[in-house]
Amino acid sequence: MLKPLVEDFIQLFYPLICPVCGTQLVHGEKFLCTGCLLHMPLSNYHEYEDNPVAKAFWGRVKVENATAYYLFEKGSKYQKLIHQLKYKGRKNIGLELGKMFGDNLQETVFQQVDLIIPVPLHYKKLKKRGFNQSELISHGMSEAMKKEVDTKTLVRKVANPTQTRKTRVERWENVEGIFELKDPDRFKGRHILLVDDVLTTGATLEACTDAVLEAPGTKVSIAVLAYVL
Ligand SMILES: [Zn+2]
């Protein structure tokens, strides 16, 4: 019974607030308040194959199944979850949402994957940020889905150029060929689940998929935490 007491004690000095609505969390609430958790705008895209995430890759690259955990509109309060995770270093958001996402995908086609692979950051960016948000989401998903996470095989050779003020076409060209497999045999004949935080143009995930499919007999499915409506 000591742990909850310690947590309450710490919260006296460092009150945790819900990243969505800003209210102070109470005992038993992990990272979201009960109301925001209850109203999480889930996509349930895993229930149909022709969902918007899957469609984003049609005619571009072969993807078995694709889904997103939740949806948000630009500027909506649920967008703050991603912001708090990526730029404020609230790593537990990635882990907890990853677990919820993994739970959500149990008993679906996504359970057929062999390995979970987060979209890698360039090592310089990883050093600067200190963590890879997609990796945190992957570890949460791994816990729920009982699938291994691999962060060593797929690597980013080139740092992502700054993407603001570029057109969609330029962005797409920018990331082409920036990922590679260190050890293609590791992925041979396996079904890979690529994980990212947000789907915007899909260019990064497309480039990752291209790299993974270089390994013989590989299949790729895609899971993004959030899809921007
Ligand atoms: Zn809230």
Side-chain angles (χ1 to χ4, degrees), residues 18-23 25 32-37 77:
C18 171
V20 175
C21 69
T23 61
L25 296 184
L32 277 180
C33 75
T34 309
C36 290
L37 189 62
K77 57 182 191 167

Side-chain angles (χ1 to χ4, degrees), residues 116-141:
I116 299 176
I117 314 295
V119 168
L121 291 180
H122 190 258
Y123 75 95
K124 279 185 185 160
K125 192 160 186 181
L126 183 63
K127 211 172 161 189
K128 196 173 160 211
R129 188 176 288 170
F131 63 93
N132 175 355
Q133 68 281 0
S134 300
E135 203 174 310
L136 294 169
I137 299 161
S138 296
H139 283 299
M141 292 178 80

